[in-house]
Amino acid sequence: MMADEATRRVFPTEPASHLRPRSRSVKSLVSTPESSFWRTFRSSTLHPSYLHLPITSLSFSPNSSLLAAASSTSVRVFSSLSLSEYDPDFDPTLFATLPLPDLAYSPSFRCDGALIAAGCENGAVRVFDLPNDKPPKTLRRLNAHSCASRVVGFPLLDHKLRLFSAGDDALFVQWDLPTETPLFSVPGAHRDYIRAGSPSPVSPDVFVTGSYDHTVKIWDARVDSGASSVLSINHGHPVESVLFLPSGGLVATAGGNTIKIWDVIAGGKPVYSVETHNKTVTALTLAKVRDDTRLLSVSIDGYLKSFDFSRFKITHSMRYPAPLLSVAFSPTGTIRVVGTNNGAMYMGIKKKKDEFEDQVGSDDFAWSVPLPEKPTSRKNIRYFKRGQSEKPSEGDFIIKRPEKVKLKEHDRLLRKFLHKDALVSVLKTQQTTSIMAVLEELVARRKLIKCISNLDNDELKLLLSFISKKATQPWCARFLMDLAKWVLEIRAEDIRSGGPEMAVHVRNLRSMVAHEIQVQRSLQEIQGMISPLLVIAGK
Amino acid sequence: MIVGGQSLVTSPPVFSHDGKKLLVCTGCTVSVFSTTTGMLITELEGHTERVTSIVVVPVAGTVGTKFSDYCWTASLDGMIFYWDFSTPDLLKKVNVQLPVHSFVIPNILSASLGRSDKASQNLYAFISVEDANKEVENGKHLHGSIQIYDLTNSTRAGGVLAETHKPETLAISKSGEFVGIKKQKQLNIWRVPNKNLKSVNMKKLKLHHTRTLSCLAFHPTKCIVAAGDVSGRILIWRGFGKMRHSQDGGGKMKIDMGDRPGVRGEDDADSCSTWHWHSSEIKFLMFSSDEAYLFSGAKEGVIVVWQLDTGNKTYKPNIGSPLMYFTDSPDPSLSCVSCEDNQIHLLRMPSMDIIKSISGIKPPLILSELQGDRSRVTIGCDRSIGFVALPTKDYRIQFFSLLDGTDISHLQVIERNYDPVDETTVFISLVEVSDDGSMMSTVEEKLPEMGIGGLISLKFWIRGSHTGQYTLSTIIYEPHNNAGVSDMAFCPGRSMAVSTSYCGNFKVWVNNSSFIHSGDEIQEKGGWRCQSVSSYKEIPMTAAAFSGDGSVLAVAAETKITLWDPLNNVLVAIIGDSLGPIRQLAFVGSSEYIMSFSSGTKADLVVWNISNLSTHWSYKLLVEDICCTRSETRVAVLALLSSSDKSISTGKDGMVLVFDVENPIPVSTWFVKKAKGGRLSFINNKLGEATDGKLLLAYINGEHNYVLFDPSNVKEQEDLIPKSARRPQSYAHDENVSHGYASIYGELPSFDLTKARSSDSIPFVSSERPWETIFSGSSHALPPLSKLCSPFLESLLEKAEKQTVLSQ
C-alpha cells in the first residue's frame, strides 16, 4: 500500500557478476572499539634463549615490573620497564635467570612481588628472592612431589607464607613456607596428571586444580576431608588450564578446543561453552581492557582470542605464526606476552593512547565555557558560506538530498534507446566486464543483431578486435563464440571489402580459433588420462 | 468463504463528490476506498455480473448535503442500481435487460432523483449496451448500440442513437452538454438539449480520422474534443459543431471550405491539430480542471502533460506499468491513474507525485510462446500465513495476503530497469517458498537472442524480521549448466532444497554457514552450496518433492518416480511408469502415498503406494495442480475439463476435486471458471472465527482471482461465487484530514449570514492596511523580501482573526 515510487530505483547495467567469481576475502574489516584497543599495542618479538625450546609458562609480578618466563631448565625474569626498549644484540632486559635442576615449570610471584616460586621436572619446588641488585638466591626447597611439579602458585590474597603446588604425581599440597612443611596434602587428588591450578581471588584457602582425567576439582584447605574435594566438575577433555574469574564465583576451564565457564557457587553448573579455537587451548589469563575484564585464551592453532565473559562473546582474535603455549597480561594493562613452542615470545606493548580513552578524558572538560566564536563580518567570504559546512548533531533528523544516480555514458545512451551508440561507447572503454554487461542488456532488449548490422566499418573493427581478444576467455566464451559466428555471418560482405585492417582482425580471429582448438585437444588428452583414475577412485 | 483478487482496473474508477472516496469496480462489487489511507471502506454488493461503470451524483447545493453520497452503477447483468454508498444502501433498481457496458447521465445536475418537486425533469441516461442476439445486417455484426434510457420511469426513451461493432465507452463533457463515442475511424458527438430529451431530437456530429481511434475526451468548457488513435497520435478538434448544433433541424449550411487547417472533408470543426509522442495506442486522454493542459497516457507508463495552447509537453515517468485510465477528482489537488498491473496510484496533482497506491493482486505473467511447455510460471505459496508470492512483470515478486486481500510487500528479484514497452525476455520463471516461509528460492531466465546469451540463475532468499521481507542469501548462476530448472522443493525442517533440471540431473542444495578467518577477524560466511548431484539414466527430471519428515526425496524422471535418500544421495527405489511426463509430485501427508500428474496428450493423475511400489488408483484427467495437506490424507486436485465436456455449463472449464487418498471416489467437487493456470493450496485458517485448526483450501484461477473456503463446509456442486466478502479495513469516520483549499489555508470559519446581518456592527476592517504601508516607498529602499514577508503574512492573519471575532 505504500507509494513505491521511491523504491523504484534506476539500475545501471552492472558488470555482470556471474562472469567473474567475486573474491571471497573481505577487505574492509569492521572496526569495533575492542579491535581499536588491541591495535594500540605495538608488537615485537623476543627470543629469551637461542635454543628453540617451548615457553611453557609466563607470569607477571603483581606490580607489573617483572615478567617470568619458563623455558627449558631455567626461569628467566625480565624487567618489564625495559622490555619496551629491547635490543636483541645486547640483552639488558634480562633481569635474572633462576637456576633449576631440570625443566622449569610454572613460575609464580608472591603478591608483593618479592619472592618467586617455580616447579621443576624432577618434582622439586623452589622459592627464590629477587633483590634488585644481587643475583637471585634460593630461599626454600620444597620436596614432596615425586614427579614433575607442574603447578606452583602463591595465593592471590595477602597471605605471604603459603604456597600450593600440584604435579604429575596427582599430589596436591599447600605449603607453609617458613618451615618447608606441607599444611594440607592430598595424595591422589586426581586420577591423572594435574596440569592446571589456580588460587581463588577471594579466599586464601580455596584452590582449583584441573587434570588430564577431565575433571576440575575445588579444594578448601580449611576442610580436612581427606582425598575428596569440595566440588568436582567434569570438563569433558583433558584440562590444560583453569582460572578463577575475578568474582571468585566463576571458574573458566580450558581443555580440548573448548573453554567452559562454570558457576562454582551454584554447585558447578555450566554457564557457557566457547568453541572457537580449532586446536587445543593451552592457557588462559585475564586481561584488563579499558574498564572491562576479558578472558584471553591461546591455543595450538596460533590464535589469541579475547572473550568477554560478561556478554559471552568473542570480541577479538589475533593470529600468531606459531603454536601458542602460554599467555600473560600485565596487571597494569599495558603489556601482553604470548609464548610459543619454538622459543619465541611475542609481545605487545601499549604505546599509543587509546582513542577511546581520549574521548573519556575530554569529558572532564566538557563543563568549561566554550570560547565565543569569532563573528564573521560581511566582507569575509566565510560570511556567505556560513552554515554550509555545519555538521548535524546527534539528535538532528537528517533529510538527505535524493542521491543522484551516476550513470555511465553507455547507461545514459541505453536509457535513450540509442543502442548502437551505447555499444560503440562501451567498446571504446575497453573494459571487458562493462562490454559484456552492455552486450547482455542488448540481448535482453532483442537489439543485438540489429546493432551489429548497423555498425559502420570502423565500429565493426572495434567489435572484431574485442572478440578476437576475449572470445576464448572461459567466463565469456559461450557468449562471444556465438556472437563471433553471427558477426561473421551478418557482416561477411563488409569484412571482405573492409581493406587490410579488417583482414588483420579476421586473421587474429582465425589464429585465436586455431589456438583454442589446440587447447581443447590437449584438455581432452588430460581428461582421457584422468577419467580412468577417477573411475578407479570411485570404486 | 473469502473471495478476492478481482481486478481493480477493468473500468475507470470514480471519485466521490468531495474527493475523499474512490469508487472502484471490482468484479461484481464496487469497492469504496479512502483516498487518504488507501484502505477499503466498504463494498457495494448486489450486481451479479461485472460492474462496468459508475456515475457519482454531484452535489448541487452546499446546504444539508454533507453526507449525501449517491451513485449509479451499471453492470453486465443488465441492471442499473442507485446507491447511497456511505451507508451503503441500495435505493433503486432499474432493469435495462441488456448488458450495459458504459453509461453517462448528462443532466444529472439539474435532475435529481430524490427531489419530490414535480418541476424536476426526468433523469435520462445514455447507455451503451451489447445486444448479442441482434441479427446480421448487411454482413455486419453490430452488437453494440447507444440508447437513451429514462431512469426515473425505467423506460426506454426512443430508439437507437448509433450502432457499433462492439459496445463502446461513452464520454461526456463536464457540463453535460456533449456526449460522444468513438466509432472506428470517426467520432460521433451528440449535443444534449436542455429539455425534451428524445432520440429524434438528437443531432449527430461526425468527425473523421484516417486511423482507428481509441479514446476521446471533451474540454470542460470550450468546444474542443481530443481523440487518441491506435498509432499514438492525438487529434484535437477545436470549435466543433458550431454549424450543426447551432441551427436546430435546419438544412445544411454552406460550409466555408477555406481556412480550416487539418479538418477532413465536411467535418464540422474550425481546426484540427495532431500531436504525436506515444508509440502505441493512446489509452486515456483527460483535460486538466484548469483547462490549460491535456494528459495522455499509453503503454510506455509515462503520463504526458500537453500544454493546450502551444503543444509543449512535460512528462511524468517512472510509473512502471502500462497505464489504463486517468481520473480527476473534484478536489483539484488529487487525481488517480490506473495501471495495467492492477494498481491505482493516487497523484498529488500539480507535481504528480504518488501519494498512495491501491494495489490488488498482480495479473499473471504472460509469456510468449518461445518457451513451449516450459512457459508455466509458478507462484509460491506460504501455507502458514496464507500469502502467495507472485512473480510480476517488472522483475519483482509481490507478496499478497490471501486472507486479508492486501498487498504485503514487493521484492526486487532481478536488478534491471523495467520498460513496459519491451517484450518479456527476462522473467522469473519459478518461485518456491518453504512450508514455514523462512526460505524462498527464485529462478530467473534470460532468453537468448538468436542463440546468443541467455542465462538462468537461481537465487535463495532468507526471510527477514517480518513477513514478506526477504534478503538475498545466495545467487547461483547456471545451476544446471545451460539447462532450465524444472522444479524446486524445500525439505521441511531442514535448510535443504532440491532443484531438478531438464538436462537430466538434480542437485541438492544445503545452507551451511562457515567461519572464514581473514587477518585478525572472523568472517561469518553463509550460503547455499551444492551438496550432491545425481541423475537417473540421463532422463530429464521434471518434478521433485520431499516427504513430510524430509527423509525421502521423490524426483520424477519423466514417467518414472525415483526415490532418494537426500542426505546420502542414494537411490532407494523406482516406481514405474505413468502415461506421460510427470509435471508435479506431492507426498500425501504422512501416509505411504505419493501423488503425481502428467500433462500432454496422455494426461493422468496417479496415486502411488510407496510401501509396495505400485499404483494405488489413477484417473485419466487433465490436471492443472494438486495440493496435499501435511498431516491429513486429504488431497485437492484442480482438473481441466476437456473441450468436449464444456457443455456442462458456460464458462466453467475446470473443477476442484477433494479426495481422501485411500478412496478414488472424490469427497466433494466444485466447478470453477478459468482453471487454466490455476493453483490450489491448503492454508491455515487464522481468521478468528471458526478456526478449530481447520485448513482452508485456496483456489487461485488463471486470472489470479481467488477463493478461500473450508472444503468440509461448502456444499458440493455449489458455485464458488462470492457471497461474503472482505472486511473493510478502515472506516470513513476516522479520517479528519482536510482537503483542497482547507488543506492549504485551514478551515474557513463558519460564516453565519443571518447573524451577521442582524447585528448592527458592520464587519470592521482595520483602517490601517499594513500591506499598503509595507510596500510603499521607493523600490531601491525596500527592505529585503525575507523581512517583508513575515509582517505581510501576519497582517493578513490578523485581519482574518478580527473578522472571526466580530462575526461571533
Side-chain angles (χ1 to χ4, degrees):
Chain A
M1 286 275 175
M2 66 204 160
D4 61 351
E5 190 174 27
T7 60
R8 207 172 278 284
R9 293 187 285 141
V10 175
F11 300 105
T13 51
E14 289 278 322
S17 51
H18 64 279
L19 297 174
R20 249 174 203 168
R22 222 169 270 159
S23 74
R24 297 185 68 185
S25 69
V26 179
K27 272 162 195 104
S28 64
L29 294 172
V30 189
S31 178
T32 59
E34 180 95 7
S35 62
S36 72
F37 171 82
W38 290 110
R39 234 173 273 142
T40 56
F41 282 80
R42 195 194 63 186
S43 53
S44 60
T45 321
L46 191 70
H47 288 274
S49 66
Y50 294 99
L51 301 169
H52 294 286
L53 290 168
I55 295 166
T56 53
S57 180
L58 287 166
S59 169
F60 269 102
S61 73
N63 53 10
S64 300
S65 60
L66 296 173
L67 165 70
S71 83
S72 83
T73 58
S74 61
V75 173
R76 285 152 199 270
V77 183
F78 301 91
S79 159
S80 69
L81 289 175
S82 51
L83 278 175
S84 43
E85 50 263 11
Y86 165 69
D87 180 4
D89 297 330
F90 180 67
D91 206 359
T93 59
L94 192 60
F95 182 77
T97 305
L98 308 179
L100 281 163
D102 207 334
L103 293 174
Y105 295 114
S106 183
S108 169
F109 284 97
R110 203 168 71 173
C111 55
D112 58 353
L115 297 183
I116 182 167
C120 187
E121 179 67 30
N122 64 6
V125 177
R126 297 198 177 182
V127 182
F128 306 88
D129 71 339
L130 289 166
N132 264 335
D133 41 357
K134 280 177 271 180
K137 198 171 66 187
T138 310
L139 285 182
R140 293 286 184 274
R141 294 155 199 267
L142 309 172
N143 293 318
H145 292 286
S146 55
C147 287
S149 50
R150 290 276 193 149
V151 183
V152 174
F154 279 101
L156 288 176
L157 285 180
D158 214 2
H159 213 288
K160 296 183 178 173
L161 301 178
R162 301 278 164 83
L163 180 73
F164 76 93
S165 68
D168 286 355
D169 55 356
L171 172 68
F172 175 77
V173 193
Q174 189 190 22
W175 300 88
D176 181 41
L177 276 188
T179 58
E180 296 187 359
T181 51
L183 287 175
F184 173 75
S185 167
V186 189
H190 285 274
R191 278 175 291 135
D192 208 333
Y193 297 166
I194 301 175
R195 285 288 168 92
S198 167
S200 162
V202 288
S203 163
D205 294 313
V206 177
F207 310 93
V208 61
T209 56
S211 153
Y212 275 11
D213 65 356
H214 299 196
T215 58
V216 173
K217 290 187 179 177
I218 305 224
W219 309 94
D220 191 342
R222 295 164 295 191
V223 186
D224 193 8
S225 54
S228 68
S229 59
V230 178
L231 184 69
S232 175
I233 304 163
N234 192 350
H235 176 77
H237 295 278
V239 181
E240 295 284 351
S241 181
V242 294
L243 196 64
F244 267 108
L245 295 181
S247 65
L250 297 179
V251 167
T253 63
N257 53 3
T258 58
I259 302 166
K260 290 182 180 174
I261 313 274
W262 309 86
D263 190 346
V264 181
I265 295 167
K269 194 176 67 146
V271 178
Y272 197 72
S273 167
V274 199
E275 243 178 284
T276 51
H277 286 286
N278 291 333
K279 289 186 181 173
T280 307
V281 182
T282 48
L284 297 172
T285 192
L286 291 170
K288 210 175 86 186
V289 173
R290 297 203 180 102
D291 296 328
D292 281 345
T293 315
R294 299 278 187 272
L295 181 68
L296 299 188
S297 61
V298 292
S299 155
I300 303 286
D301 63 4
Y303 274 94
L304 164 67
K305 300 210 179 197
S306 161
F307 177 71
D308 183 350
F309 53 84
S310 56
R311 289 182 294 147
F312 297 122
K313 215 173 149 188
I314 292 284
T315 50
H316 193 69
S317 83
M318 279 170 276
R319 197 191 143 78
Y320 291 93
L324 305 180
L325 293 184
S326 51
V327 62
F329 198 84
S330 77
T332 54
T334 51
I335 308 171
R336 66 155 198 257
V337 190
V338 292
T340 64
N341 72 343
N342 62 9
M345 275 163 59
Y346 294 98
M347 275 185 306
I349 297 159
K350 195 160 173 335
K351 289 298 285 181
K352 273 192 289 181
K353 245 197 133 196
D354 210 343
E355 301 147 27
F356 185 75
E357 281 166 17
D358 281 346
Q359 284 171 10
V360 173
S362 65
D363 273 357
D364 299 341
F365 303 98
W367 45 265
S368 69
V369 183
L371 287 175
E373 262 181 50
K374 198 179 154 195
T376 46
S377 71
R378 209 179 273 205
K379 288 169 195 161
N380 201 324
I381 185 132
R382 270 185 292 159
Y383 173 80
F384 297 102
K385 287 187 158 184
R386 67 194 188 282
Q388 284 186 7
S389 57
E390 198 73 42
K391 292 265 159 47
S393 62
E394 205 168 292
D396 285 352
F397 183 76
I398 302 165
I399 299 168
K400 277 185 184 159
R401 192 171 286 176
E403 226 166 89
K404 209 175 173 199
V405 188
K406 276 192 180 167
L407 288 178
K408 286 185 184 157
E409 181 67 27
H410 56 258
D411 274 327
R412 240 193 327 272
L413 291 167
L414 280 174
R415 271 169 72 87
K416 289 180 186 164
F417 306 101
L418 298 169
H419 297 120
K420 193 195 80 167
D421 296 345
L423 179 60
V424 172
S425 93
V426 78
L427 279 172
K428 279 176 184 157
T429 62
Q430 312 241 323
Q431 282 166 345
T432 317
T433 46
S434 309
I435 295 172
M436 290 304 293
V438 170
L439 286 173
E440 286 194 347
E441 178 65 25
L442 289 177
V443 164
R445 295 189 185 193
R446 294 279 179 274
K447 292 288 186 295
L448 184 60
I449 300 294
K450 200 171 247 178
C451 272
I452 292 169
S453 46
N454 286 345
L455 291 174
D456 67 21
N457 268 8
D458 287 340
E459 291 155 1
L460 187 61
K461 278 172 205 162
L462 268 177
L463 181 64
L464 278 177
S465 79
F466 169 72
I467 290 174
S468 60
K469 263 182 229 157
K470 302 287 178 190
T472 52
Q473 299 219 350
W475 47 274
C476 51
R478 174 147 24 122
F479 190 100
L480 288 183
M481 294 282 193
D482 290 336
L483 179 66
K485 230 185 285 174
W486 273 102
V487 171
L488 293 177
E489 205 165 292
I490 296 170
R491 305 300 297 266
E493 283 298 310
D494 300 297
I495 290 168
R496 219 168 283 143
S497 59
E501 245 185 279
M502 203 70 93
V504 169
H505 287 305
V506 176
R507 207 176 309 132
N508 284 347
L509 209 57
R510 186 192 305 237
S511 65
M512 180 270 292
V513 170
H515 181 245
E516 184 62 21
I517 289 170
Q518 202 84 48
V519 168
Q520 291 293 338
R521 204 164 284 157
S522 55
L523 280 176
Q524 273 176 351
E525 279 171 25
I526 294 169
Q527 195 184 8
M529 286 186 270
I530 289 176
S531 53
L533 295 177
L534 284 178
V535 169
I536 293 164
K539 283 171 186 170
Chain B
M1 192 195 284
I2 301 168
V3 175
Q6 288 91 2
S7 173
L8 305 174
V9 294
T10 50
S11 329
V14 179
F15 281 98
S16 67
H17 67 89
D18 55 354
K20 284 186 182 173
K21 291 172 184 170
L22 185 69
L23 284 80
V24 182
C25 304
T26 47
C28 306
T29 60
V30 175
S31 303
V32 183
F33 289 92
S34 155
T35 56
T36 39
T37 59
M39 303 275 205
L40 184 72
I41 298 171
T42 182
E43 286 193 324
L44 312 180
E45 292 158 16
H47 286 291
T48 52
E49 274 288 342
R50 189 164 67 81
V51 182
T52 52
S53 61
I54 308 168
V55 171
V56 170
V57 179
V59 180
T62 48
V63 188
T65 51
K66 209 163 187 184
F67 298 105
S68 65
D69 288 328
Y70 298 108
C71 69
W72 295 90
T73 59
S75 156
L76 291 183
D77 59 2
M79 302 291 280
I80 296 180
F81 287 176
Y82 186 60
W83 303 85
D84 177 357
F85 61 86
S86 57
T87 16
D89 286 325
L90 178 59
L91 301 179
K92 188 178 163 78
K93 287 184 180 182
V94 177
N95 196 347
V96 185
Q97 284 150 355
L98 292 170
V100 183
H101 280 260
S102 175
F103 84 116
V104 292
I105 306 174
N107 54 353
I108 193 162
L109 255 181
S110 52
S112 190
L113 192 77
R115 302 277 174 80
S116 53
D117 47 339
K118 293 286 175 194
S120 76
Q121 298 170 336
N122 287 349
L123 198 60
Y124 290 102
F126 282 66
I127 55 175
S128 164
V129 293
E130 181 177 9
D131 198 352
N133 302 324
K134 203 152 194 180
E135 63 251 40
V136 179
E137 287 174 29
N138 308 334
K140 284 183 183 173
H141 287 275
L142 296 171
H143 286 316
S145 67
I146 311 291
Q147 302 173 355
I148 299 180
Y149 202 84
D150 184 346
L151 291 175
T152 316
N153 301 327
S154 303
T155 52
R156 210 159 299 240
V160 174
L161 279 181
E163 287 185 326
T164 50
H165 282 275
K166 57 179 200 303
E168 296 289 351
T169 310
L170 285 157
I172 184 170
S173 69
K174 207 162 241 175
S175 58
E177 197 180 355
F178 297 106
V179 172
I181 54 161
K182 61 178 164 60
K183 193 174 170 189
Q184 298 196 330
K185 293 178 182 178
Q186 60 183 7
L187 291 184
N188 290 357
I189 298 171
W190 296 272
R191 168 174 281 193
V192 183
N194 283 333
K195 46 189 169 182
N196 200 8
L197 197 90
K198 285 273 161 55
S199 57
V200 288
N201 291 342
M202 303 294 290
K203 286 288 167 278
K204 184 155 71 177
L205 170 80
K206 289 182 183 174
L207 295 171
H208 294 87
H209 181 48
T210 51
R211 286 187 178 82
T212 308
L213 295 164
S214 58
C215 61
L216 79 160
F218 288 100
H219 192 274
T221 52
K222 294 181 198 158
C223 277
I224 299 176
V225 65
D229 71 7
V230 288
S231 68
R233 287 176 176 79
I234 298 168
L235 298 117
I236 296 179
W237 283 280
R238 290 164 202 268
F240 65 90
K242 281 197 176 155
M243 289 150 250
R244 175 66 59 93
H245 289 318
S246 58
Q247 41 163 323
D248 274 327
K252 273 188 187 170
M253 258 178 77
K254 194 157 169 35
I255 295 166
D256 180 16
M257 295 303 283
D259 196 28
R260 293 199 308 153
V263 180
R264 254 166 246 286
E266 298 197 342
D267 284 359
D268 186 4
D270 288 347
S271 69
C272 175
S273 47
T274 307
W275 292 333
H276 195 181
W277 183 85
H278 295 283
S279 60
S280 57
E281 178 186 327
I282 307 272
K283 288 286 187 187
F284 67 78
L285 286 170
M286 174 67 78
F287 285 96
S288 70
S289 52
D290 60 355
E291 308 169 9
Y293 298 99
L294 174 71
F295 303 109
S296 68
K299 201 184 173 191
E300 296 91 357
V302 178
I303 301 174
V304 183
V305 185
W306 305 85
Q307 201 177 355
L308 209 55
D309 293 334
T310 60
N312 291 341
K313 50 192 180 293
T314 50
Y315 309 99
K316 163 66 189 166
N318 267 346
I319 294 173
S321 181
L323 305 176
M324 303 274 285
Y325 314 109
F326 187 90
T327 315
D328 64 348
S329 72
D331 179 2
S333 66
L334 187 72
S335 61
C336 76
V337 62
S338 307
C339 300
E340 216 166 67
D341 63 350
N342 209 3
Q343 266 193 323
I344 297 175
H345 298 295
L346 295 166
L347 305 173
R348 184 180 292 120
M349 237 359 246
S351 58
M352 302 188 106
D353 298 327
I354 295 173
I355 316 167
K356 278 269 163 351
S357 297
I358 299 166
S359 47
I361 199 162
K362 295 278 179 202
L365 213 61
I366 297 158
L367 298 174
S368 54
E369 291 305 309
L370 282 171
Q371 291 279 296
D373 192 35
R374 279 166 55 189
S375 65
R376 198 170 92 112
V377 171
T378 59
I379 58 178
C381 195
D382 185 338
R383 294 175 178 204
S384 56
I385 317 167
F387 70 76
V388 285
L390 305 148
T392 65
K393 239 178 158 183
D394 53 351
Y395 317 126
R396 302 197 202 186
I397 285 178
Q398 181 197 31
F399 294 100
F400 192 87
S401 167
L402 292 181
L403 291 173
D404 301 332
T406 51
D407 174 58
I408 300 172
S409 64
H410 295 252
L411 178 72
Q412 187 84 38
V413 174
I414 308 173
E415 298 216 326
R416 186 164 184 272
N417 301 315
Y418 172 65
D419 193 339
V421 181
D422 286 351
E423 61 177 304
T424 316
T425 56
V426 181
F427 60 95
I428 302 163
S429 64
L430 208 152
V431 181
E432 185 72 37
V433 184
S434 68
D435 267 1
D436 55 350
S438 63
M439 295 169 286
M440 182 176 75
S441 69
T442 59
V443 176
E444 62 197 52
E445 292 190 26
K446 288 184 186 174
L447 300 179
E449 179 191 12
M450 316 288 275
I452 307 178
L455 180 72
I456 293 164
S457 38
L458 170 68
K459 285 180 177 168
F460 286 100
W461 306 79
I462 303 270
R463 186 172 63 194
S465 48
H466 40 85
T467 52
Q469 185 207 30
Y470 284 81
T471 48
L472 183 61
S473 162
T474 316
I475 310 179
I476 293 144
Y477 296 104
E478 307 192 326
H480 295 277
N481 289 329
N482 217 358
V485 178
S486 54
D487 198 12
M488 292 274 317
F490 278 101
C491 179
R494 215 178 286 155
S495 315
M496 182 187 270
V498 63
S499 68
T500 59
S501 134
Y502 296 106
C503 70
N505 62 14
F506 71 91
K507 291 189 179 181
V508 177
W509 307 90
V510 287
N511 182 13
N512 50 347
S513 296
S514 57
F515 290 96
I516 290 164
H517 302 285
S518 56
D520 283 353
E521 292 285 329
I522 307 167
Q523 200 72 41
E524 196 186 341
K525 276 268 178 180
W528 290 82
R529 300 275 175 269
C530 180
Q531 183 186 267
S532 59
V533 188
S534 327
S535 63
Y536 176 73
K537 292 185 179 173
E538 305 284 321
I539 302 171
M541 301 290 196
T542 48
F546 276 100
S547 67
D549 55 352
S551 60
V552 182
L553 167 64
V555 180
E558 283 203 324
T559 58
K560 290 188 171 65
I561 300 173
T562 55
L563 299 175
W564 303 75
D565 176 0
L567 291 176
N568 305 320
N569 198 28
V570 178
L571 180 62
V572 181
I574 300 158
I575 310 180
D577 281 331
S578 73
L579 292 174
I582 292 170
R583 241 174 66 178
Q584 201 176 326
L585 283 172
F587 278 90
V588 182
S590 46
S591 65
E592 51 184 2
Y593 299 106
I594 185 169
M595 204 162 184
S596 76
F597 72 86
S598 54
S599 58
T601 49
K602 291 177 180 173
D604 63 345
L605 170 77
V606 191
V607 173
W608 311 87
N609 191 331
I610 301 177
S611 54
N612 53 19
L613 304 180
S614 63
T615 311
H616 190 58
W617 50 266
S618 75
Y619 271 106
K620 222 173 162 184
L621 261 181
L622 185 58
V623 176
E624 188 65 23
D625 195 23
I626 52 175
C627 157
C628 303
T629 53
R630 277 282 175 224
S631 48
E632 300 166 58
T633 54
R634 266 188 303 170
V635 291
V637 173
L638 174 62
L640 296 179
L641 302 175
S642 61
S643 49
S644 56
D645 304 338
K646 230 170 207 170
S647 54
I648 294 173
S649 78
T650 48
K652 305 219 166 147
D653 58 349
M655 55 182 178
V656 175
L657 306 146
V658 173
F659 291 97
D660 189 75
V661 73
E662 300 281 355
N663 195 346
I665 297 161
V667 179
S668 41
T669 317
W670 300 272
F671 287 102
V672 292
K673 288 179 180 175
K674 290 163 193 147
K676 183 84 185 149
R679 278 285 313 242
L680 281 178
S681 180
F682 280 108
I683 60 172
N684 289 337
N685 189 358
K686 277 198 175 172
L687 270 185
E689 67 263 13
T691 41
D692 57 358
K694 274 184 180 168
L695 291 171
L696 291 178
L697 183 62
Y699 162 63
I700 305 165
N701 76 4
E703 291 187 349
H704 286 183
N705 297 349
Y706 64 84
V707 57
L708 291 178
F709 58 100
D710 187 347
S712 55
N713 271 353
V714 178
K715 275 181 208 128
E716 204 171 319
Q717 308 293 340
E718 190 181 330
D719 285 352
L720 294 183
I721 284 192
K723 284 290 175 279
S724 77
R726 291 170 289 171
R727 297 156 299 164
Q729 297 148 328
S730 75
Y731 299 95
H733 301 295
D734 0 295
E735 296 149 21
N736 283 322
V737 186
S738 48
H739 276 270
Y741 178 82
S743 68
I744 303 168
Y745 302 108
E747 287 284 344
L748 281 176
S750 57
F751 187 68
D752 197 340
L753 203 67
T754 54
K755 207 173 179 183
R757 282 219 183 114
S758 64
S759 65
D760 294 333
S761 63
I762 300 153
F764 169 70
V765 181
S766 76
S767 58
E768 181 205 9
R769 293 199 266 188
W771 57 92
E772 284 181 359
T773 55
I774 286 172
F775 295 115
S776 66
S778 55
S779 62
H780 68 269
L782 271 180
L785 193 62
S786 58
K787 283 198 173 172
L788 269 178
C789 186
S790 55
F792 174 61
L793 286 176
E794 269 169 19
S795 74
L796 289 179
L797 284 176
E798 274 168 12
K799 185 185 162 230
E801 261 174 22
K802 274 173 196 160
Q803 272 192 340
T804 58
V805 168
L806 281 173
S807 65
Q808 282 163 4

